[in-house]
Amino acid sequence: MEDTKHLAVFTTLLVERSPQALPMGAACVASAVKSCPLTKNLVRAKLLTLTMEDDFLCGLSDDKKAEKIADKILSEFPEVACVCMSVYVWSKTILEKASLALKEKKGGIVIIAGGPEITANPLGMKGVDFSVAGEGEVAVPELLHSIFSSSGVNESSCGISGVYSMKDAGASFNGTAVGAKALPAPLDELSSPWLDGTIRAGDYGGALWELARGCPFKCSYCYESKGYAKIRRFPQDRLDAELELFAKEKIPQVFVLDPTYNADKKRALDMLRKIRRTCPETFFYFEARAEFIDAEIARAFASINCSVQFGLQSSDPVVLKNVNRSFNKNQFKKNVSLLNEQGVVFGFDLIYGLPGDSLAGFKKSIDFALELYPNNLELFCLSVLPGTKLFEDAKSFGLEWQDFPPYHVLNSPSFPSGDLNKAEKLSRAVNLFYTEGRAVPWFNSVVGLLREKPSAFFEGFSAFLEGRQELIGLAEGLSLLQLEALQKKFVFLRLKSRGLQKYTALVGDIISLNGALSRCQGEGEECTLELSWHPDDLMSQYASDIPFFFANCGREKNRTRVFPTANGPDWTVL
């Protein structure tokens, strides 16, 4: 029976293979094709994961990558009748070229494109036969049934909502204006790609776990700004079964797909309790809204292994209003303090280049964010994504941007190109020193000692890197110990420039001990340190005030072993 089915390959091109980068969209549609009555006995669905890091693609031009992708599909699946591509900002150019190559290499092959880039511009990709705007779980099975049924399909009039034929490029499709989306599937009718084996978390080191679709907010830079304002939630029995599967397979980490996880407090709390009972060893990553944080939610997050990410984007309410976001600075700080009190790991996102923002404003946002002790700070250049409300409004704000992926802003009245370049360098410095360097436990203490704002510190670090060309290319490949050595070198120079070199040994001990504990926690690494102060003192609250600690805590040279235990990292003085 399998051999009589028409083979459809579902694929995408990912930046990397990881729990955050796995072919979730393609897997969901492939799973729907497997279970849909229209296609389950007609089409054989196979998932193919491609990444920029694959050996056969590394070091090649886009044209060569496209050629290799086409060859890969045809060599692994010589009988393929249809290729369904999930297209994103980073992959559109290469997948478009790959589609054209497939058409040249195999006559009669049908190519269908979907995903965010196609939803934004359904008729904007060459080399494909059909495109699907919006969710694909209903439209794609219907389209495949039309293509492979005995009656065949009239390519310019199949009449499926959200489906466009490239023969109609530049025109309306079947009387429907370009921009109409596919009908969203009732979530309680969808099969799970995890439960039916379409995709296996073990192949990626973790899972993306979809709890809901839609967002009640209207941030104009986001695809959801013109999506479904109502939150649609997957049925609880499906989520319970998926959670049990993750526990059974001992999945180490799960990234939760729900942009407003804590919008429904009761549901959020119930799920956190289930996670604590079912998957106590798994680390979960959430996206949440800070305005919905309260003491009970903070305690619940603290009860499991997790990290919570907040889309701060900017600390300027006027700038945020330009992109349809509201912001109460005092409330934000108060709610985040609840997370700090409970010891919850959390991070922030910031965007530079937002309409009305400036380099000075971006620096203020960095300073505001870092004073709240986030575990990470993710900084991004604004992308003016087709299909978003911002795309429609961008010219009225005076924005200029790339007309090709990733659609980065290039210039604005308040954020000219030169300042955007400075913001990019500043962002790289923050990421390398603070986030990749795991500097959160000691960063604010050191910056306080130097009496400078975090943004000024990172501007100095960016200049330090630029003055050492050999480091720029190596920065992303540095080990944690090499990063720590780089941090110390810059901090020690900064101390000397301020006449504070008497604190060098103490600051070095603080960085070394915190670094060792971090590596022990994250990588299970054991090490022995040569310290000038006792580790118990260095890890006390008094060490956060470096001048006070230096004046009042006596030196005690020692050798300290840092080692993992069942309850986390520990240390002993040898």
Side-chain angles (χ1 to χ4, degrees):
M1 181 63 179
E2 284 287 306
D3 292 337
T4 65
K5 294 181 180 180
H6 301 275
L7 175 60
V9 174
F10 292 79
T11 191
T12 188
L13 180 61
L14 306 169
V15 175
E16 61 183 4
R17 181 183 286 258
S18 73
Q20 282 181 286
L22 53 80
M24 192 64 189
C28 286
V29 180
S31 178
V33 168
K34 289 179 181 181
S35 63
C36 178
L38 291 174
T39 49
K40 65 180 181 180
N41 295 319
L42 180 68
V43 177
R44 181 160 48 104
K46 292 290 185 180
L47 183 67
L48 175 63
T49 302
L50 302 169
T51 81
M52 299 284 196
E53 295 180 338
D54 288 344
D55 290 340
F56 76 99
L57 295 179
C58 286
L60 301 179
S61 67
D62 285 357
D63 287 343
K64 290 291 186 182
K65 286 178 180 176
E67 192 81 13
K68 290 288 187 180
I69 287 170
D71 290 340
K72 173 82 168 176
I73 293 171
L74 295 176
S75 63
E76 285 203 22
F77 306 99
E79 71 278 29
V80 62
C82 177
V83 176
C84 300
M85 297 179 171
S86 190
V87 185
Y88 297 86
V89 165
W90 59 84
S91 63
K92 179 182 177 182
T93 300
I94 297 174
L95 290 182
E96 183 174 64
K97 294 175 184 289
S99 298
L100 293 168
L102 282 167
K103 286 291 189 181
E104 289 181 4
K105 293 172 183 289
K106 182 164 184 172
I109 192 170
V110 177
I111 300 178
I112 301 170
E117 279 291 293
I118 301 304
T119 297
N121 185 6
L123 301 177
M125 184 167 165
K126 299 175 183 176
V128 305
D129 298 289
F130 298 96
S131 60
V132 177
E135 297 177 20
E137 288 100 337
V138 171
V140 172
E142 289 184 6
L143 177 58
L144 290 175
H145 179 263
S146 295
I147 292 171
F148 295 121
S149 64
S150 58
S151 60
V153 62
N154 181 336
E155 291 186 7
S156 64
S157 59
C158 64
I160 301 168
S161 178
V163 172
Y164 298 82
S165 166
M166 291 304 102
K167 288 190 174 182
D168 291 327
S172 63
F173 179 75
N174 196 31
T176 304
V178 171
K181 295 181 181 179
L183 296 174
L187 299 188
D188 58 354
E189 296 179 7
L190 291 183
S191 57
S192 165
W194 298 114
L195 298 178
D196 69 10
T198 299
I199 188 169
R200 288 177 49 82
D203 295 338
Y204 303 89
L208 289 176
W209 191 26
E210 197 175 16
L211 303 189
R213 293 182 183 177
C215 179
F217 298 96
K218 287 288 187 180
C219 307
S220 65
Y221 51 79
C222 177
Y223 281 122
E224 289 294 344
S225 66
K226 295 182 72 177
Y228 301 104
K230 182 180 178 181
I231 299 176
R232 298 150 57 218
R233 304 190 186 279
F234 283 90
Q236 193 60 51
D237 57 349
R238 165 176 162 156
L239 300 181
D240 291 345
E242 289 173 332
L243 194 59
E244 293 284 352
L245 177 68
F246 298 153
K248 179 181 178 182
E249 296 189 355
K250 301 186 185 303
I251 301 305
Q253 51 189 328
V254 172
F255 289 82
V256 176
L257 296 180
D258 183 344
T260 53
Y261 174 77
N262 58 333
D264 183 332
K265 179 180 175 179
K266 181 182 184 304
R267 185 179 173 91
L269 290 171
D270 287 345
M271 184 59 74
L272 291 173
R273 294 186 192 103
K274 289 184 178 182
I275 288 171
R276 185 171 67 248
R277 291 194 303 267
T278 308
C279 282
E281 303 302 320
T282 300
F283 198 94
F284 286 78
Y285 296 84
F286 296 91
E287 292 179 289
R289 297 285 297 206
E291 55 264 50
F292 300 146
I293 294 293
D294 61 17
E296 189 177 13
I297 284 283
R299 286 193 298 270
F301 277 130
S303 71
I304 68 169
N305 293 317
C306 76
S307 175
V308 188
Q309 198 74 10
F310 298 97
L312 172 59
Q313 317 311 6
S314 172
S315 63
D316 187 333
V318 176
V319 170
L320 291 175
K321 187 176 181 181
N322 287 337
V323 288
N324 295 334
R325 287 180 67 95
S326 59
F327 181 63
N328 183 316
K329 185 177 289 190
N330 291 333
Q331 188 66 44
F332 189 94
K333 292 171 69 173
K334 177 183 176 182
N335 291 0
V336 168
S337 71
L338 297 174
L339 300 174
N340 276 321
E341 289 171 7
Q342 296 296 329
V344 178
V345 175
F346 64 90
F348 300 137
D349 297 336
L350 289 177
I351 298 175
Y352 61 89
L354 290 168
D357 203 3
S358 64
L359 180 60
F362 179 56
K363 291 178 188 176
K364 287 180 180 178
S365 294
I366 291 175
D367 295 337
F368 171 78
L370 290 179
E371 75 180 37
L372 301 177
Y373 294 88
N375 185 67
N376 65 80
L377 187 59
E378 306 292 337
L379 304 110
F380 306 94
C381 180
L382 175 66
S383 290
V384 183
L385 299 171
T388 63
K389 184 68 168 60
L390 180 61
F391 185 84
E392 298 175 358
D393 298 339
K395 288 185 178 179
S396 68
F397 286 117
L399 301 185
E400 299 173 23
W401 66 96
Q402 297 170 325
D403 59 2
F404 52 87
Y407 309 109
H408 282 163
V409 66
L410 300 173
N411 189 46
S412 81
S414 59
F415 221 134
S417 58
D419 285 355
L420 287 167
N421 290 334
K422 291 177 183 177
E424 181 184 5
K425 293 177 181 178
L426 184 57
S427 298
R428 286 202 301 264
V430 173
N431 180 66
L432 181 64
F433 192 101
Y434 187 87
T435 300
E436 297 295 328
R438 303 179 182 179
V440 59
W442 52 266
F443 178 78
N444 281 337
S445 298
V446 169
V447 172
L449 174 65
L450 292 167
R451 296 182 181 177
E452 63 180 340
K453 293 184 179 297
S455 57
F457 177 91
F458 287 120
E459 282 184 309
F461 182 61
S462 179
F464 169 78
L465 289 178
E466 287 200 8
R468 290 159 177 79
Q469 291 297 321
E470 72 279 5
L471 291 175
I472 296 176
L474 294 174
E476 291 187 1
L478 294 178
S479 69
L480 289 170
L481 272 175
Q482 289 171 321
L483 260 179
E484 183 180 296
L486 186 63
Q487 289 169 326
K488 287 180 180 176
K489 187 169 187 177
F490 177 68
V491 169
F492 294 168
L493 287 173
R494 210 70 168 173
L495 290 171
K496 185 177 180 180
S497 72
R498 300 291 195 275
L500 300 169
Q501 53 265 54
K502 69 179 181 180
Y503 298 111
T504 298
L506 175 56
V507 170
D509 272 12
I510 291 171
I511 294 174
S512 293
L513 183 54
N514 279 285
L517 291 169
S518 174
R519 295 190 301 275
C520 185
Q521 175 74 42
E523 286 71 37
E525 179 182 313
E526 181 176 326
C527 67
T528 300
L529 305 173
E530 302 284 342
L531 301 174
S532 297
W533 280 264
H534 195 283
D536 291 351
D537 295 331
L538 291 170
M539 294 307 296
S540 71
Q541 61 179 339
Y542 302 108
S544 63
D545 186 336
I546 293 174
F548 176 85
F549 184 92
F550 184 82
N552 293 281
C553 188
R555 293 194 180 204
E556 186 178 335
K557 288 196 172 183
N558 64 88
R559 294 176 68 241
T560 294
R561 183 171 72 96
V562 176
F563 55 93
T565 73
N567 297 316
D570 202 353
W571 62 83
T572 185
V573 175
L574 302 176

